[in-house]
Amino acid sequence: MKIQGVVLAGGHSRRFGRPKAFAKKDGIPFFEYSIRALEKHCQSLVIVTNPHIKEQFEKAIVNETIQIINDEIEFRGQGPLSGIYTAMEHYPAEWYMVSPIDVPFIQPNIFEILLRHISDQYEVIVPIVCEKIQPLLAMYHYSLKEEMKRNLQMNQNSLIEFLVNQRMKYIFIECDHYFININSQEDYKKFIQAN
């Protein structure tokens, strides 16, 4: 069974004020934490980004086995659903293990937990933390690809709405520390600089 790692980095970090993929925690760029959490569980890894920061990734990443691609032109700017679809379009696999770039506390054990629940019964394996669904730190089956494409073609790009009709396995996780995401400078000051 092939598992493709996907780092979602297509956003423009408007609230953060600069590309947050390259913000640092303990001297390490945020995107590196996502790579470290995924890489031991995946046969290959791709960063799906946008043309504005693709070159920055190419300069920052020395591991030549990590691929860096832009969102599909047709669906560029349509958010995480577009990023997951783009990975599916270019990197065939059975499952896609997904992480955003703004979760610098994420650990590999979160994905170990998700992996334990892979089954033919499910198309999505997603954590629920503090009663909140975490669709950007989840696993998606390849069988969803064409439905994702149809939704994107109709500009129905909400990942949460897309998930409503899928066969999902919810995994309840107690500790929310791993899922802290940094969206703004205020978040950065509170969770990164204050520690």
Side-chain angles (χ1 to χ4, degrees), residues 8-9 39-40 42 45 74 82 104 122 128 136 166 169:
L8 298 173
E39 65 186 351
K40 71 180 268 188
C42 305
L45 195 66
E74 182 182 0
S82 172
Y122 308 115
I128 294 194
L136 299 184
Q166 310 313 326
K169 173 71 174 176

Side-chain angles (χ1 to χ4, degrees), residues 6 20 49-50 77 96 106 118 136 144 146:
V6 182
K20 56 186 170 178
T49 189
N50 68 67
Y96 295 80
I106 192 63
I118 283 181
L136 299 184
L144 297 170
E146 291 307 314

Side-chain angles (χ1 to χ4, degrees), residues 45-113:
L45 195 66
V46 62
I47 297 174
V48 184
T49 189
N50 68 67
H52 303 291
I53 58 173
K54 184 174 185 253
E55 191 175 319
Q56 279 182 269
F57 277 115
E58 290 169 342
K59 289 177 182 173
I61 294 175
V62 294
N63 184 341
E64 293 179 8
T65 64
I66 298 173
Q67 303 300 307
I68 305 160
I69 61 172
N70 288 323
D71 274 319
E72 285 288 301
I73 294 172
E74 182 182 0
F75 305 128
R76 196 165 288 159
Q78 289 202 50
L81 191 64
S82 172
I84 298 167
Y85 170 78
T86 297
M88 289 180 170
E89 177 69 10
H90 292 274
Y91 298 91
E94 189 170 350
W95 285 92
Y96 295 80
M97 188 177 278
V98 175
S99 176
I101 48 82
D102 57 0
V103 285
F105 297 96
I106 192 63
Q107 294 292 318
N109 66 311
I110 295 300
F111 293 106
E112 286 171 26
I113 293 167

Side-chain angles (χ1 to χ4, degrees), residues 21 28-37 39 57 60-61 66 101:
I28 299 167
F30 282 8
F31 74 83
E32 188 67 39
Y33 289 99
S34 298
I35 289 171
R36 290 177 183 185
E39 65 186 351
F57 277 115
I61 294 175
I66 298 173
I101 48 82

Side-chain angles (χ1 to χ4, degrees), residues 7-22:
V7 177
L8 298 173
H12 292 279
S13 305
R14 288 181 186 93
R15 286 180 285 171
F16 195 73
R18 60 187 170 94
K20 56 186 170 178
F22 305 100

Side-chain angles (χ1 to χ4, degrees), residues 121-171:
Q121 294 180 293
Y122 308 115
E123 297 166 306
V124 183
I125 302 167
V126 62
I128 294 194
V129 182
C130 299
E131 300 181 16
K132 186 177 177 189
I133 190 169
Q134 299 288 334
L136 299 184
L137 285 154
M139 294 186 66
Y140 295 84
H141 194 268
Y142 183 76
S143 60
L144 297 170
K145 179 185 170 205
E146 291 307 314
E147 189 175 347
M148 286 182 178
K149 183 177 184 179
R150 286 192 295 275
N151 277 35
L152 290 163
Q153 287 171 331
M154 295 184 292
N155 286 319
Q156 295 174 354
N157 55 21
S158 167
L159 187 53
I160 295 289
E161 289 176 21
F162 175 80
L163 293 177
V164 170
N165 297 313
Q166 310 313 326
R167 290 180 292 128
M168 297 195 5
K169 173 71 174 176
Y170 296 107
I171 310 298

